Each structure stands twice: as C-alpha cells, then as structure tokens.
Amino acid sequence: MERSRVAVVTGGSRGIGRGIALGLAGAGFDVVVNYNRSSQAAEEVAAKVRELGRKALAIQADVSVRADRERFVDAVLEQFGHIDVLVNNAGVAPEVRADILEATEESFDRVIAINLRGPYFLTQRVAKHMIEYVQKHPDAQPKIINIGSNSAYTSSTSRGDYCISKAGIGMMTKLYADRLAEYGILVYEIRPGIIATDMTAVVKEKYDRLFAEGITPIRRWGTPEDVAKAVVALAEGALPYSTGEVINVDGGFHLHRL
Ligand SMILES: NC(=O)c1ccc[n+]([C@@H]2O[C@H](COP(=O)([O-])OP(=O)(O)OC[C@H]3O[C@@H](n4cnc5c(N)ncnc54)[C@H](OP(=O)(O)O)[C@@H]3O)[C@@H](O)[C@H]2O)c1
C-alpha cells in the first residue's frame, strides 16, 4: 500500500495556518491541525480536510511549552506513524504595540517563546524523527517550512520583539537547512507580507490606506491562500535543488523602489 503523506501545521486553526492546512489537504496530504486555544475552529478545519478526502486530526499544544511539544509529536507519530512536512506557522503579535523605548521584557519573552523558541525546538524534535524516517524509507523527502515575515528585515518600532523573533526564524531556516541537507531533508522559509487575518484586523484601516497609496507593487491585501499556494509548491517538491531558500509572498513588498 502506498504510504500516505502527512503534514503538520502549527497554528492551523485560523488565518494563514488554516489556509495552509486546507491547501495541503487539497494537494493530497493528511493534515495534523495544531492549535492552542481555538479548539472549535481547529475541529472545523479538520472537518474540512476530511471533506477533501484526507485524514485529519486537531491536536492542542502550546508550541512555547516543552511538555506540550513532546506530547504533540508523540501523538502525531502514534496516529500517523511519520511526518513528511512540518509547517512552523503558529505565531503571535505582541499583546500591546508599545514603542521600543517602553516595551516590556514580559512581552519580549512571550513573543520570543512562541514565535522562535517554540518552532526552534519543535523542529529539533521533528528533525530527529525525519532522520530516522528517511533511513527507513529512502524515498521519503521530508520538508520543513517556516513561516517568517517581512518583519525579519523591516523595522516596526512598535513591535520590536516581533521583528526580532522573525529575524531569528531567518537564521533558524539557514541552520536547519545546513544541518539536515545530508539526510535529504529540505528546509525553506516563506516570508508573507501583509496578509488579511485576525492578526492584521486591528490595523485594517491603516493598511487599506497604505495599499491604496501603493505600499506594495501588487496593490492588494495578501490572503492565506496566497501563502498556502507557496507552501504546497514547496511541500510537493517544486524546488528539489534548493534549501534554506526564502520565498517572499508579499505582493513585491521586499523590492527596493525609486
Ligand atoms: N497576517 C500577516 O500579515 C502575517 C505576515 C507575516 C507573517 N505572519 C505570520 O504568519 C503566522 C500566522 O499568522 P496569522 O496572521 O494567521 O495569525 P492569526 O490569524 O492570529 O492566527 C495565529 C494562529 O497561531 C496559533 N497560535 C498562537 N499561539 C500559539 C501557541 N502558543 N501554540 C500553538 N498555536 C498558537 C493560533 O491558534 P489558537 O487560535 O488556537 O490559539 C492561530 O491558529 C504567524 O507566524 C505570523 O507571525 C503573518
């Protein structure tokens, strides 16, 4: 019997992660939908994956908590046996946008724990499984896809902690790409620009205006589906001789323009 392809999406209950989970299901992956608080939303995503004909499981785990990560990976492996694709998507903005001269250490610790320490150590755990997996199944071609941000290189002085967490994801992508290439495990980063989700709903009017003024060459909001299309391409092996690569899904935001 042909082995199923299994994708794990952290923060798959809402926003970009939801779009990625559904995109991967449409491409034939079974999907593990991780969430932290939104159990109902996660179950709805899992139900939609099943409607698309794939297996799905919603599993609660706070990616910033070590014991949760361990329990999460154990549960995935018990249910599905292997992981072909890990998408590190879960992430948060600071609870309060505070000027860098006033922002607190508590906010810094929270954002770094969820956005950087969590995925860094989840990847460590999953990578060890993937190494064993490819040794047993040399035809497997696991991928790790990190959802970074244009904030990795763009200064927003009212959310410095977030920018630093995403700059860290940039280096994390390079490190794991380097370390895992010998096993055929490819690692990529997707850098979304401004995407319409709950995270950006609080600044909708500001960005509506900026899009109208041409902040991005492609003058519209990005969608979770835009990001999902890039994830699916990478997950399906569209870039077999590339690793550590950054794909900007940002309407051209990253271009320097005169
Ligand atoms: N929206 C943008 O413009 C944009 C741009 C660039 C990059 N990004 C990045 O894209 C990713 C998704 O963002 P989004 O806009 O889709 O955000 P969102 O709509 O706020 O959704 C965040 C997702 O992450 C999950 N999550 C939050 N904390 C978690 C934790 N501790 N453990 C596990 N899951 C957790 C949430 O799950 P629960 O609801 O269950 O807690 C939810 O599914 C983030 O990494 C973000 O930094 C977003």
Side-chain angles (χ1 to χ4, degrees):
M1 206 178 72
E2 208 177 305
R3 229 176 30 251
S4 61
R5 294 181 299 164
V6 179
V8 170
V9 182
T10 68
S13 48
R14 294 186 289 117
I16 292 173
R18 179 180 185 279
I20 292 170
L22 298 180
L24 287 168
F29 286 85
D30 292 340
V31 183
V32 179
V33 180
N34 158 256
Y35 67 97
N36 186 27
R37 293 184 189 156
S38 308
S39 62
Q40 196 182 335
E43 290 298 347
E44 281 167 18
V45 175
K48 280 196 178 293
V49 170
R50 290 184 204 110
E51 277 170 29
L52 291 164
R54 305 311 318 172
K55 287 190 188 145
L57 199 59
I59 304 181
Q60 191 281 333
D62 180 338
V63 294
S64 69
V65 176
R66 186 197 311 198
D68 280 26
R69 291 192 300 269
E70 289 296 322
R71 172 177 55 73
F72 176 67
V73 177
D74 288 349
V76 174
L77 294 179
E78 198 182 300
Q79 294 285 328
F80 290 92
H82 60 270
I83 300 171
D84 293 277
V85 176
L86 167 65
V87 184
N88 283 306
N89 165 78
V92 291
E95 278 171 344
V96 183
R97 286 190 175 217
D99 184 89
I100 192 170
L101 296 178
E102 307 297 336
T104 64
E105 288 194 34
E106 288 72 22
S107 176
F108 188 92
D109 288 348
R110 169 179 173 271
V111 171
I112 295 293
I114 297 170
N115 292 7
L116 184 56
R117 196 184 69 207
Y120 185 78
F121 286 103
L122 180 64
T123 298
Q124 183 189 67
R125 173 75 176 82
V126 172
K128 286 182 185 170
H129 154 69
M130 286 176 166
I131 290 167
E132 284 174 20
Y133 176 41
V134 292
Q135 282 165 350
K136 271 191 227 141
H137 298 280
D139 61 320
Q141 297 175 325
K143 320 270 185 317
I144 296 169
I145 301 170
N146 301 319
I147 305 301
S149 171
N150 56 4
S151 294
Y153 59 87
T154 305
S155 163
S156 295
T157 54
S158 62
R159 47 191 183 119
D161 38 21
Y162 182 82
C163 296
I164 288 171
S165 74
K166 292 300 180 178
I169 289 289
M171 179 46 86
M172 173 182 142
T173 301
K174 293 181 211 272
L175 287 163
Y176 279 114
D178 182 12
R179 184 66 182 85
L180 298 176
E182 68 176 285
Y183 304 102
I185 302 167
L186 303 180
V187 183
Y188 304 104
E189 175 178 348
I190 290 181
R191 272 188 195 160
I194 305 163
I195 312 293
T197 68
D198 294 344
M199 187 180 276
T200 46
V202 283
V203 282
K204 179 169 183 313
E205 277 164 26
K206 171 184 166 187
Y207 286 131
D208 280 345
R209 182 172 42 80
L210 291 175
F211 280 119
E213 290 167 4
I215 190 172
T216 49
I218 302 173
R219 291 189 180 199
R220 68 162 173 87
W221 283 83
T223 65
E225 291 70 32
D226 290 323
V227 181
K229 282 181 180 160
V231 171
V232 168
L234 295 173
E236 291 196 307
L239 299 185
Y241 192 51
S242 302
T243 193
E245 202 60 56
V246 175
I247 312 286
N248 293 288
V249 180
D250 64 354
F253 176 89
H254 67 282
L255 300 170
H256 298 275
R257 294 187 287 164
L258 270 178

